[in-house]
Amino acid sequence: MAEAVLGGSAEDVSIKEAGLRYEVDGEIATITLDRPEKRNAQTFATWSALARIGDDLPEQVRIVVVQGEGPSFSAGIDLRMFTPEGVPGQGSFSSVAQLDNVSFEQRIEQAQQGFLWLRRPEIVSIAAVHGHAIGAGFQLALACDLRIVADDVKFCMKEPALGLVPDLTGTKPLVDLVGTAKAIDICLTARFVDAQEAFRIGLAERVVSGAELTQAVRDKAAELLSTNRDAATATKRLLQGARGRTLEEQTAAERVEQAARIKALFAVS
Ligand code: ACO
């Protein structure tokens, strides 16, 4: 009973069946949300497949690009979850609502694993976002380190309008990027944020035309790959920890990372 309700079969679904494409080319991995006819709506199977990609990511990969096929990056969670029938093999919100809190939270935690690995220090993740990025789509873009967007982008945190909270790891990066007041404005109105506003408030690093998006992401990947791999990892670790540390703690962390770097670079064996 619990497995069916929890969507245990989502684990067994192939990457393709989960609505994704996945390619690795040297140091760059590209994940494409590939259900354009449904505007790349996401299911538990999508998140489970994303988590598996993260688990099996080849060690040589330094850049992960997340993009969407068709007119939208992603229209968010598959709306069949709101119907009594739900998504075949994965249940519905009404079936999941029967679960005890611990099981329910475990299920959400599994879904979150599909997003969290995109922040690993060893990689830089880039969301190439065009068209609609709604709900889970917005949160997937927020799960990435950088967002390069097309000028037709429309971000929307739709969850509160549907009676939900954003729970796919998006609330912290949103607040970190735009501040609490702007995050309240965006989430509690569920309004659309266009490309110019996204750039102005720090949600997007760069705005380009739709035709330029792929090349802009390639260029950024090449720039990121031009620095030393281990130094990039250590620096990302430092930057990620900076907000949670005092200046004294941060400078101590810098010393630790630098000692390791200089020993690695110059120690005589
Ligand atoms: N889940 C399932 N199917 C979807 C979803 C979705 N989230 N979004 C779009 N589709 C389907 C439509 O039902 C339609 O299918 P059909 O051709 O079989 O009828 C197809 O995708 C195309 O959708 P349109 O609405 O015709 O496309 P359009 O480009 O006009 O609009 C838009 C795109 C704005 C994204 C619109 O589809 C939409 O508002 N979708 C729902 C967004 C939403 O509320 N998502 C949930 C957010 S909350 C969360 O993610 C936790």
PDB file of all heavy atoms in Angstrom, residues 35-39 41-42 71-72 74-80 82 93 132 134-137 139 156 158-159 162 164-165 167-168 192, ligand 1:
ATOM      1  N   ARG A  35       9.721  16.696 -22.099  1.00  0.00           N
ATOM      2  CA  ARG A  35       8.300  16.362 -22.298  1.00  0.00           C
ATOM      3  C   ARG A  35       7.614  17.641 -22.794  1.00  0.00           C
ATOM      4  O   ARG A  35       6.725  18.189 -22.136  1.00  0.00           O
ATOM      5  CB  ARG A  35       7.703  15.880 -20.978  1.00  0.00           C
ATOM      6  CG  ARG A  35       6.597  14.841 -21.149  1.00  0.00           C
ATOM      7  CD  ARG A  35       6.501  13.910 -19.956  1.00  0.00           C
ATOM      8  NE  ARG A  35       6.097  14.573 -18.744  1.00  0.00           N
ATOM      9  CZ  ARG A  35       4.841  14.591 -18.254  1.00  0.00           C
ATOM     10  NH1 ARG A  35       3.865  13.986 -18.885  1.00  0.00           N
ATOM     11  NH2 ARG A  35       4.577  15.206 -17.119  1.00  0.00           N
ATOM     12  N   PRO A  36       8.095  18.158 -23.955  1.00  0.00           N
ATOM     13  CA  PRO A  36       7.633  19.484 -24.389  1.00  0.00           C
ATOM     14  C   PRO A  36       6.133  19.560 -24.603  1.00  0.00           C
ATOM     15  O   PRO A  36       5.529  20.612 -24.380  1.00  0.00           O
ATOM     16  CB  PRO A  36       8.390  19.715 -25.709  1.00  0.00           C
ATOM     17  CG  PRO A  36       8.865  18.379 -26.153  1.00  0.00           C
ATOM     18  CD  PRO A  36       9.061  17.572 -24.910  1.00  0.00           C
ATOM     19  N   GLU A  37       5.526  18.438 -25.011  1.00  0.00           N
ATOM     20  CA  GLU A  37       4.078  18.467 -25.277  1.00  0.00           C
ATOM     21  C   GLU A  37       3.286  18.706 -23.990  1.00  0.00           C
ATOM     22  O   GLU A  37       2.129  19.124 -24.048  1.00  0.00           O
ATOM     23  CB  GLU A  37       3.628  17.176 -25.993  1.00  0.00           C
ATOM     24  CG  GLU A  37       3.631  15.901 -25.174  1.00  0.00           C
ATOM     25  CD  GLU A  37       5.025  15.333 -24.847  1.00  0.00           C
ATOM     26  OE1 GLU A  37       6.032  15.891 -25.311  1.00  0.00           O
ATOM     27  OE2 GLU A  37       5.079  14.333 -24.100  1.00  0.00           O
ATOM     28  N   LYS A  38       3.912  18.464 -22.839  1.00  0.00           N
ATOM     29  CA  LYS A  38       3.293  18.769 -21.532  1.00  0.00           C
ATOM     30  C   LYS A  38       4.085  19.857 -20.825  1.00  0.00           C
ATOM     31  O   LYS A  38       4.096  19.946 -19.595  1.00  0.00           O
ATOM     32  CB  LYS A  38       3.210  17.509 -20.664  1.00  0.00           C
ATOM     33  CG  LYS A  38       2.313  16.420 -21.236  1.00  0.00           C
ATOM     34  CD  LYS A  38       0.856  16.843 -21.266  1.00  0.00           C
ATOM     35  CE  LYS A  38      -0.023  15.794 -21.929  1.00  0.00           C
ATOM     36  NZ  LYS A  38      -1.367  16.299 -22.238  1.00  0.00           N
ATOM     37  N   ARG A  39       4.775  20.664 -21.610  1.00  0.00           N
ATOM     38  CA  ARG A  39       5.552  21.803 -21.102  1.00  0.00           C
ATOM     39  C   ARG A  39       6.525  21.376 -20.005  1.00  0.00           C
ATOM     40  O   ARG A  39       6.762  22.067 -19.032  1.00  0.00           O
ATOM     41  CB  ARG A  39       4.624  22.910 -20.581  1.00  0.00           C
ATOM     42  CG  ARG A  39       3.658  23.457 -21.625  1.00  0.00           C
ATOM     43  CD  ARG A  39       4.390  24.070 -22.812  1.00  0.00           C
ATOM     44  NE  ARG A  39       3.481  24.609 -23.809  1.00  0.00           N
ATOM     45  CZ  ARG A  39       3.085  23.936 -24.917  1.00  0.00           C
ATOM     46  NH1 ARG A  39       3.549  22.720 -25.164  1.00  0.00           N
ATOM     47  NH2 ARG A  39       2.253  24.504 -25.769  1.00  0.00           N
ATOM     48  N   ALA A  41       6.351  19.196 -17.669  1.00  0.00           N
ATOM     49  CA  ALA A  41       5.810  19.008 -16.317  1.00  0.00           C
ATOM     50  C   ALA A  41       6.594  17.893 -15.628  1.00  0.00           C
ATOM     51  O   ALA A  41       7.037  16.938 -16.260  1.00  0.00           O
ATOM     52  CB  ALA A  41       4.334  18.660 -16.399  1.00  0.00           C
ATOM     53  N   GLN A  42       6.775  18.044 -14.328  1.00  0.00           N
ATOM     54  CA  GLN A  42       7.628  17.128 -13.562  1.00  0.00           C
ATOM     55  C   GLN A  42       6.800  16.215 -12.651  1.00  0.00           C
ATOM     56  O   GLN A  42       5.755  16.623 -12.138  1.00  0.00           O
ATOM     57  CB  GLN A  42       8.609  17.932 -12.695  1.00  0.00           C
ATOM     58  CG  GLN A  42       9.478  18.889 -13.492  1.00  0.00           C
ATOM     59  CD  GLN A  42      10.297  19.808 -12.606  1.00  0.00           C
ATOM     60  OE1 GLN A  42      10.716  19.435 -11.506  1.00  0.00           O
ATOM     61  NE2 GLN A  42      10.530  21.026 -13.067  1.00  0.00           N
ATOM     62  N   PRO A  71       8.637  24.920 -25.867  1.00  0.00           N
ATOM     63  CA  PRO A  71       8.378  26.337 -25.573  1.00  0.00           C
ATOM     64  C   PRO A  71       8.633  26.762 -24.127  1.00  0.00           C
ATOM     65  O   PRO A  71       8.768  27.965 -23.860  1.00  0.00           O
ATOM     66  CB  PRO A  71       6.897  26.522 -25.921  1.00  0.00           C
ATOM     67  CG  PRO A  71       6.316  25.169 -26.061  1.00  0.00           C
ATOM     68  CD  PRO A  71       7.419  24.177 -26.228  1.00  0.00           C
ATOM     69  N   SER A  72       8.675  25.809 -23.173  1.00  0.00           N
ATOM     70  CA  SER A  72       8.838  26.179 -21.758  1.00  0.00           C
ATOM     71  C   SER A  72       9.990  25.416 -21.131  1.00  0.00           C
ATOM     72  O   SER A  72      10.212  24.237 -21.453  1.00  0.00           O
ATOM     73  CB  SER A  72       7.577  25.826 -20.953  1.00  0.00           C
ATOM     74  OG  SER A  72       6.475  26.564 -21.382  1.00  0.00           O
ATOM     75  N   SER A  74       9.934  24.631 -17.810  1.00  0.00           N
ATOM     76  CA  SER A  74       9.090  23.641 -17.135  1.00  0.00           C
ATOM     77  C   SER A  74       7.866  24.309 -16.510  1.00  0.00           C
ATOM     78  O   SER A  74       8.003  25.313 -15.806  1.00  0.00           O
ATOM     79  CB  SER A  74       9.851  22.902 -16.035  1.00  0.00           C
ATOM     80  OG  SER A  74       8.968  22.095 -15.279  1.00  0.00           O
ATOM     81  N   ALA A  75       6.697  23.708 -16.761  1.00  0.00           N
ATOM     82  CA  ALA A  75       5.436  24.214 -16.200  1.00  0.00           C
ATOM     83  C   ALA A  75       5.184  23.657 -14.804  1.00  0.00           C
ATOM     84  O   ALA A  75       4.056  23.708 -14.312  1.00  0.00           O
ATOM     85  CB  ALA A  75       4.281  23.876 -17.125  1.00  0.00           C
ATOM     86  N   GLY A  76       6.237  23.119 -14.153  1.00  0.00           N
ATOM     87  CA  GLY A  76       6.091  22.708 -12.754  1.00  0.00           C
ATOM     88  C   GLY A  76       5.566  21.302 -12.589  1.00  0.00           C
ATOM     89  O   GLY A  76       5.631  20.478 -13.512  1.00  0.00           O
ATOM     90  N   ILE A  77       5.045  21.041 -11.424  1.00  0.00           N
ATOM     91  CA  ILE A  77       4.578  19.686 -11.118  1.00  0.00           C
ATOM     92  C   ILE A  77       3.450  19.299 -12.067  1.00  0.00           C
ATOM     93  O   ILE A  77       2.662  20.148 -12.493  1.00  0.00           O
ATOM     94  CB  ILE A  77       4.125  19.587  -9.647  1.00  0.00           C
ATOM     95  CG1 ILE A  77       4.015  18.118  -9.215  1.00  0.00           C
ATOM     96  CG2 ILE A  77       2.802  20.314  -9.424  1.00  0.00           C
ATOM     97  CD1 ILE A  77       3.871  17.954  -7.712  1.00  0.00           C
ATOM     98  N   ASP A  78       3.425  18.024 -12.395  1.00  0.00           N
ATOM     99  CA  ASP A  78       2.370  17.509 -13.272  1.00  0.00           C
ATOM    100  C   ASP A  78       1.018  17.680 -12.568  1.00  0.00           C
ATOM    101  O   ASP A  78       0.805  17.148 -11.474  1.00  0.00           O
ATOM    102  CB  ASP A  78       2.635  16.030 -13.567  1.00  0.00           C
ATOM    103  CG  ASP A  78       1.776  15.529 -14.704  1.00  0.00           C
ATOM    104  OD1 ASP A  78       0.554  15.794 -14.694  1.00  0.00           O
ATOM    105  OD2 ASP A  78       2.317  14.860 -15.602  1.00  0.00           O
ATOM    106  N   LEU A  79       0.147  18.437 -13.198  1.00  0.00           N
ATOM    107  CA  LEU A  79      -1.127  18.787 -12.553  1.00  0.00           C
ATOM    108  C   LEU A  79      -2.028  17.564 -12.330  1.00  0.00           C
ATOM    109  O   LEU A  79      -3.001  17.658 -11.581  1.00  0.00           O
ATOM    110  CB  LEU A  79      -1.856  19.858 -13.363  1.00  0.00           C
ATOM    111  CG  LEU A  79      -1.167  21.239 -13.365  1.00  0.00           C
ATOM    112  CD1 LEU A  79      -1.892  22.202 -14.298  1.00  0.00           C
ATOM    113  CD2 LEU A  79      -1.089  21.822 -11.960  1.00  0.00           C
ATOM    114  N   ARG A  80      -1.679  16.423 -12.930  1.00  0.00           N
ATOM    115  CA  ARG A  80      -2.458  15.205 -12.626  1.00  0.00           C
ATOM    116  C   ARG A  80      -2.335  14.830 -11.150  1.00  0.00           C
ATOM    117  O   ARG A  80      -3.176  14.116 -10.625  1.00  0.00           O
ATOM    118  CB  ARG A  80      -1.982  14.042 -13.511  1.00  0.00           C
ATOM    119  CG  ARG A  80      -2.400  14.166 -14.965  1.00  0.00           C
ATOM    120  CD  ARG A  80      -1.844  13.021 -15.784  1.00  0.00           C
ATOM    121  NE  ARG A  80      -0.388  13.028 -15.791  1.00  0.00           N
ATOM    122  CZ  ARG A  80       0.368  12.074 -16.332  1.00  0.00           C
ATOM    123  NH1 ARG A  80      -0.189  11.032 -16.914  1.00  0.00           N
ATOM    124  NH2 ARG A  80       1.695  12.149 -16.303  1.00  0.00           N
ATOM    125  N   PHE A  82      -3.002  16.605  -8.806  1.00  0.00           N
ATOM    126  CA  PHE A  82      -4.141  17.218  -8.100  1.00  0.00           C
ATOM    127  C   PHE A  82      -5.444  16.491  -8.378  1.00  0.00           C
ATOM    128  O   PHE A  82      -6.473  16.831  -7.801  1.00  0.00           O
ATOM    129  CB  PHE A  82      -4.272  18.695  -8.514  1.00  0.00           C
ATOM    130  CG  PHE A  82      -3.148  19.565  -8.009  1.00  0.00           C
ATOM    131  CD1 PHE A  82      -1.971  19.699  -8.741  1.00  0.00           C
ATOM    132  CD2 PHE A  82      -3.244  20.239  -6.796  1.00  0.00           C
ATOM    133  CE1 PHE A  82      -0.932  20.497  -8.275  1.00  0.00           C
ATOM    134  CE2 PHE A  82      -2.210  21.040  -6.326  1.00  0.00           C
ATOM    135  CZ  PHE A  82      -1.045  21.168  -7.074  1.00  0.00           C
ATOM    136  N   PHE A  93      -1.969  13.673  -4.897  1.00  0.00           N
ATOM    137  CA  PHE A  93      -1.894  14.346  -3.601  1.00  0.00           C
ATOM    138  C   PHE A  93      -2.939  13.777  -2.646  1.00  0.00           C
ATOM    139  O   PHE A  93      -2.686  13.672  -1.449  1.00  0.00           O
ATOM    140  CB  PHE A  93      -2.057  15.856  -3.756  1.00  0.00           C
ATOM    141  CG  PHE A  93      -0.797  16.542  -4.202  1.00  0.00           C
ATOM    142  CD1 PHE A  93      -0.808  17.437  -5.257  1.00  0.00           C
ATOM    143  CD2 PHE A  93       0.416  16.301  -3.565  1.00  0.00           C
ATOM    144  CE1 PHE A  93       0.357  18.069  -5.677  1.00  0.00           C
ATOM    145  CE2 PHE A  93       1.595  16.924  -3.974  1.00  0.00           C
ATOM    146  CZ  PHE A  93       1.559  17.811  -5.034  1.00  0.00           C
ATOM    147  N   HIS A 132       8.272  29.509 -19.755  1.00  0.00           N
ATOM    148  CA  HIS A 132       7.777  29.431 -18.373  1.00  0.00           C
ATOM    149  C   HIS A 132       8.665  28.555 -17.487  1.00  0.00           C
ATOM    150  O   HIS A 132       9.086  27.482 -17.896  1.00  0.00           O
ATOM    151  CB  HIS A 132       6.347  28.876 -18.371  1.00  0.00           C
ATOM    152  CG  HIS A 132       5.361  29.824 -18.962  1.00  0.00           C
ATOM    153  ND1 HIS A 132       4.933  29.740 -20.267  1.00  0.00           N
ATOM    154  CD2 HIS A 132       4.748  30.910 -18.430  1.00  0.00           C
ATOM    155  CE1 HIS A 132       4.091  30.733 -20.512  1.00  0.00           C
ATOM    156  NE2 HIS A 132       3.954  31.460 -19.425  1.00  0.00           N
ATOM    157  N   ILE A 134       7.747  27.514 -13.894  1.00  0.00           N
ATOM    158  CA  ILE A 134       6.677  27.674 -12.897  1.00  0.00           C
ATOM    159  C   ILE A 134       6.841  26.630 -11.790  1.00  0.00           C
ATOM    160  O   ILE A 134       7.135  25.462 -12.075  1.00  0.00           O
ATOM    161  CB  ILE A 134       5.296  27.514 -13.568  1.00  0.00           C
ATOM    162  CG1 ILE A 134       5.138  28.550 -14.687  1.00  0.00           C
ATOM    163  CG2 ILE A 134       4.169  27.645 -12.561  1.00  0.00           C
ATOM    164  CD1 ILE A 134       3.815  28.453 -15.444  1.00  0.00           C
ATOM    165  N   GLY A 135       6.614  27.030 -10.562  1.00  0.00           N
ATOM    166  CA  GLY A 135       6.605  26.096  -9.440  1.00  0.00           C
ATOM    167  C   GLY A 135       7.875  25.255  -9.393  1.00  0.00           C
ATOM    168  O   GLY A 135       8.979  25.778  -9.212  1.00  0.00           O
ATOM    169  N   ALA A 136       7.720  23.940  -9.553  1.00  0.00           N
ATOM    170  CA  ALA A 136       8.883  23.045  -9.527  1.00  0.00           C
ATOM    171  C   ALA A 136       9.888  23.432 -10.609  1.00  0.00           C
ATOM    172  O   ALA A 136      11.093  23.191 -10.454  1.00  0.00           O
ATOM    173  CB  ALA A 136       8.427  21.598  -9.715  1.00  0.00           C
ATOM    174  N   GLY A 137       9.415  24.038 -11.694  1.00  0.00           N
ATOM    175  CA  GLY A 137      10.324  24.502 -12.745  1.00  0.00           C
ATOM    176  C   GLY A 137      11.180  25.661 -12.261  1.00  0.00           C
ATOM    177  O   GLY A 137      12.395  25.704 -12.489  1.00  0.00           O
ATOM    178  N   GLN A 139      11.844  26.204  -9.136  1.00  0.00           N
ATOM    179  CA  GLN A 139      12.724  25.668  -8.089  1.00  0.00           C
ATOM    180  C   GLN A 139      13.906  24.894  -8.675  1.00  0.00           C
ATOM    181  O   GLN A 139      15.009  24.913  -8.124  1.00  0.00           O
ATOM    182  CB  GLN A 139      11.922  24.796  -7.125  1.00  0.00           C
ATOM    183  CG  GLN A 139      10.899  25.609  -6.344  1.00  0.00           C
ATOM    184  CD  GLN A 139      10.331  24.825  -5.189  1.00  0.00           C
ATOM    185  OE1 GLN A 139      11.021  24.564  -4.208  1.00  0.00           O
ATOM    186  NE2 GLN A 139       9.066  24.435  -5.303  1.00  0.00           N
ATOM    187  N   CYS A 156       7.643  31.904 -12.016  1.00  0.00           N
ATOM    188  CA  CYS A 156       6.457  32.047 -11.147  1.00  0.00           C
ATOM    189  C   CYS A 156       6.500  30.988 -10.057  1.00  0.00           C
ATOM    190  O   CYS A 156       6.617  29.799 -10.349  1.00  0.00           O
ATOM    191  CB  CYS A 156       5.182  31.872 -11.980  1.00  0.00           C
ATOM    192  SG  CYS A 156       3.679  31.746 -10.999  1.00  0.00           S
ATOM    193  N   LYS A 158       4.252  29.341  -8.111  1.00  0.00           N
ATOM    194  CA  LYS A 158       2.795  29.175  -8.126  1.00  0.00           C
ATOM    195  C   LYS A 158       2.252  28.479  -6.889  1.00  0.00           C
ATOM    196  O   LYS A 158       1.043  28.533  -6.601  1.00  0.00           O
ATOM    197  CB  LYS A 158       2.460  28.359  -9.389  1.00  0.00           C
ATOM    198  CG  LYS A 158       1.013  28.137  -9.742  1.00  0.00           C
ATOM    199  CD  LYS A 158       0.414  29.349 -10.398  1.00  0.00           C
ATOM    200  CE  LYS A 158      -1.015  29.107 -10.867  1.00  0.00           C
ATOM    201  NZ  LYS A 158      -1.082  28.315 -12.101  1.00  0.00           N
ATOM    202  N   GLU A 159       3.123  27.806  -6.144  1.00  0.00           N
ATOM    203  CA  GLU A 159       2.652  26.925  -5.065  1.00  0.00           C
ATOM    204  C   GLU A 159       1.648  27.574  -4.121  1.00  0.00           C
ATOM    205  O   GLU A 159       0.588  26.995  -3.848  1.00  0.00           O
ATOM    206  CB  GLU A 159       3.857  26.375  -4.275  1.00  0.00           C
ATOM    207  CG  GLU A 159       4.639  25.281  -4.987  1.00  0.00           C
ATOM    208  CD  GLU A 159       5.666  25.796  -5.982  1.00  0.00           C
ATOM    209  OE1 GLU A 159       5.598  26.979  -6.349  1.00  0.00           O
ATOM    210  OE2 GLU A 159       6.535  25.011  -6.393  1.00  0.00           O
ATOM    211  N   LEU A 162      -1.836  27.571  -5.133  1.00  0.00           N
ATOM    212  CA  LEU A 162      -2.475  26.250  -5.183  1.00  0.00           C
ATOM    213  C   LEU A 162      -2.623  25.654  -3.783  1.00  0.00           C
ATOM    214  O   LEU A 162      -2.945  24.471  -3.635  1.00  0.00           O
ATOM    215  CB  LEU A 162      -1.643  25.308  -6.070  1.00  0.00           C
ATOM    216  CG  LEU A 162      -1.475  25.762  -7.527  1.00  0.00           C
ATOM    217  CD1 LEU A 162      -0.497  24.845  -8.266  1.00  0.00           C
ATOM    218  CD2 LEU A 162      -2.814  25.777  -8.234  1.00  0.00           C
ATOM    219  N   LEU A 164      -0.145  25.300  -1.588  1.00  0.00           N
ATOM    220  CA  LEU A 164       1.068  24.566  -1.199  1.00  0.00           C
ATOM    221  C   LEU A 164       2.180  25.547  -0.828  1.00  0.00           C
ATOM    222  O   LEU A 164       2.068  26.747  -1.079  1.00  0.00           O
ATOM    223  CB  LEU A 164       1.558  23.711  -2.378  1.00  0.00           C
ATOM    224  CG  LEU A 164       0.566  22.714  -2.958  1.00  0.00           C
ATOM    225  CD1 LEU A 164       1.155  22.053  -4.201  1.00  0.00           C
ATOM    226  CD2 LEU A 164       0.187  21.663  -1.916  1.00  0.00           C
ATOM    227  N   VAL A 165       3.265  24.989  -0.264  1.00  0.00           N
ATOM    228  CA  VAL A 165       4.487  25.788  -0.112  1.00  0.00           C
ATOM    229  C   VAL A 165       5.515  25.268  -1.112  1.00  0.00           C
ATOM    230  O   VAL A 165       5.452  24.107  -1.513  1.00  0.00           O
ATOM    231  CB  VAL A 165       5.077  25.716   1.330  1.00  0.00           C
ATOM    232  CG1 VAL A 165       4.069  26.220   2.352  1.00  0.00           C
ATOM    233  CG2 VAL A 165       5.541  24.303   1.665  1.00  0.00           C
ATOM    234  N   ASP A 167       8.552  23.412  -1.826  1.00  0.00           N
ATOM    235  CA  ASP A 167       9.279  22.467  -0.962  1.00  0.00           C
ATOM    236  C   ASP A 167      10.366  21.721  -1.716  1.00  0.00           C
ATOM    237  O   ASP A 167      10.915  20.741  -1.207  1.00  0.00           O
ATOM    238  CB  ASP A 167       8.312  21.456  -0.335  1.00  0.00           C
ATOM    239  CG  ASP A 167       7.689  20.543  -1.373  1.00  0.00           C
ATOM    240  OD1 ASP A 167       7.747  20.878  -2.578  1.00  0.00           O
ATOM    241  OD2 ASP A 167       7.139  19.495  -0.986  1.00  0.00           O
ATOM    242  N   LEU A 168      10.685  22.154  -2.922  1.00  0.00           N
ATOM    243  CA  LEU A 168      11.700  21.441  -3.699  1.00  0.00           C
ATOM    244  C   LEU A 168      13.012  22.224  -3.666  1.00  0.00           C
ATOM    245  O   LEU A 168      13.637  22.463  -4.688  1.00  0.00           O
ATOM    246  CB  LEU A 168      11.189  21.190  -5.127  1.00  0.00           C
ATOM    247  CG  LEU A 168       9.997  20.217  -5.161  1.00  0.00           C
ATOM    248  CD1 LEU A 168       9.322  20.222  -6.519  1.00  0.00           C
ATOM    249  CD2 LEU A 168      10.425  18.798  -4.775  1.00  0.00           C
ATOM    250  N   PHE A 192       4.225  36.615 -12.075  1.00  0.00           N
ATOM    251  CA  PHE A 192       5.306  36.301 -13.001  1.00  0.00           C
ATOM    252  C   PHE A 192       6.428  37.322 -12.869  1.00  0.00           C
ATOM    253  O   PHE A 192       6.180  38.532 -12.755  1.00  0.00           O
ATOM    254  CB  PHE A 192       4.787  36.285 -14.443  1.00  0.00           C
ATOM    255  CG  PHE A 192       3.997  35.042 -14.755  1.00  0.00           C
ATOM    256  CD1 PHE A 192       2.614  35.089 -14.892  1.00  0.00           C
ATOM    257  CD2 PHE A 192       4.641  33.820 -14.898  1.00  0.00           C
ATOM    258  CE1 PHE A 192       1.888  33.938 -15.167  1.00  0.00           C
ATOM    259  CE2 PHE A 192       3.924  32.663 -15.177  1.00  0.00           C
ATOM    260  CZ  PHE A 192       2.549  32.722 -15.312  1.00  0.00           C
TER     261      PHE A 192
HETATM  262  N1  ACO B   1       1.099  19.427 -15.694  1.00  0.00           N
HETATM  263  C1  ACO B   1       0.567  18.650 -16.660  1.00  0.00           C
HETATM  264  N2  ACO B   1       0.308  19.064 -17.902  1.00  0.00           N
HETATM  265  C2  ACO B   1       0.628  20.343 -18.198  1.00  0.00           C
HETATM  266  C3  ACO B   1       1.185  21.210 -17.258  1.00  0.00           C
HETATM  267  C4  ACO B   1       1.430  20.711 -15.945  1.00  0.00           C
HETATM  268  N3  ACO B   1       1.998  21.447 -14.982  1.00  0.00           N
HETATM  269  N4  ACO B   1       1.376  22.417 -17.835  1.00  0.00           N
HETATM  270  C5  ACO B   1       0.957  22.296 -19.102  1.00  0.00           C
HETATM  271  N5  ACO B   1       0.494  21.047 -19.321  1.00  0.00           N
HETATM  272  C6  ACO B   1      -0.062  20.495 -20.558  1.00  0.00           C
HETATM  273  C7  ACO B   1      -1.423  21.068 -20.875  1.00  0.00           C
HETATM  274  O1  ACO B   1      -2.433  20.386 -20.176  1.00  0.00           O
HETATM  275  C8  ACO B   1      -1.487  20.852 -22.369  1.00  0.00           C
HETATM  276  O2  ACO B   1      -1.770  19.488 -22.616  1.00  0.00           O
HETATM  277  P1  ACO B   1      -2.813  19.086 -23.801  1.00  0.00           P
HETATM  278  O3  ACO B   1      -2.156  19.594 -25.058  1.00  0.00           O
HETATM  279  O4  ACO B   1      -2.875  17.611 -23.708  1.00  0.00           O
HETATM  280  O5  ACO B   1      -4.079  19.800 -23.479  1.00  0.00           O
HETATM  281  C9  ACO B   1      -0.044  21.091 -22.801  1.00  0.00           C
HETATM  282  O6  ACO B   1       0.757  20.886 -21.642  1.00  0.00           O
HETATM  283  C10 ACO B   1       0.224  22.480 -23.308  1.00  0.00           C
HETATM  284  O7  ACO B   1      -0.239  23.391 -22.324  1.00  0.00           O
HETATM  285  P2  ACO B   1      -0.880  24.792 -22.698  1.00  0.00           P
HETATM  286  O8  ACO B   1      -1.493  25.348 -21.461  1.00  0.00           O
HETATM  287  O9  ACO B   1      -1.773  24.640 -23.889  1.00  0.00           O
HETATM  288  O10 ACO B   1       0.432  25.583 -23.142  1.00  0.00           O
HETATM  289  P3  ACO B   1       0.691  27.136 -23.122  1.00  0.00           P
HETATM  290  O11 ACO B   1       2.014  27.297 -23.781  1.00  0.00           O
HETATM  291  O12 ACO B   1      -0.480  27.874 -23.661  1.00  0.00           O
HETATM  292  O13 ACO B   1       0.793  27.531 -21.573  1.00  0.00           O
HETATM  293  C11 ACO B   1       1.654  27.334 -19.330  1.00  0.00           C
HETATM  294  C12 ACO B   1       1.918  27.129 -20.842  1.00  0.00           C
HETATM  295  C13 ACO B   1       1.501  28.818 -19.015  1.00  0.00           C
HETATM  296  C14 ACO B   1       2.883  26.785 -18.635  1.00  0.00           C
HETATM  297  C15 ACO B   1       0.360  26.604 -18.904  1.00  0.00           C
HETATM  298  O14 ACO B   1       0.384  25.301 -19.468  1.00  0.00           O
HETATM  299  C16 ACO B   1       0.203  26.468 -17.422  1.00  0.00           C
HETATM  300  O15 ACO B   1      -0.179  27.425 -16.748  1.00  0.00           O
HETATM  301  N6  ACO B   1       0.466  25.251 -16.866  1.00  0.00           N
HETATM  302  C17 ACO B   1       0.230  24.956 -15.470  1.00  0.00           C
HETATM  303  C18 ACO B   1       1.276  25.595 -14.558  1.00  0.00           C
HETATM  304  C19 ACO B   1       1.096  25.185 -13.109  1.00  0.00           C
HETATM  305  O16 ACO B   1       0.162  25.591 -12.440  1.00  0.00           O
HETATM  306  N7  ACO B   1       2.024  24.341 -12.582  1.00  0.00           N
HETATM  307  C20 ACO B   1       2.023  23.887 -11.224  1.00  0.00           C
HETATM  308  C21 ACO B   1       2.906  24.795 -10.390  1.00  0.00           C
HETATM  309  S1  ACO B   1       3.021  24.320  -8.687  1.00  0.00           S
HETATM  310  C22 ACO B   1       4.302  23.227  -8.559  1.00  0.00           C
HETATM  311  O17 ACO B   1       5.054  23.012  -9.494  1.00  0.00           O
HETATM  312  C23 ACO B   1       4.550  22.486  -7.223  1.00  0.00           C
END
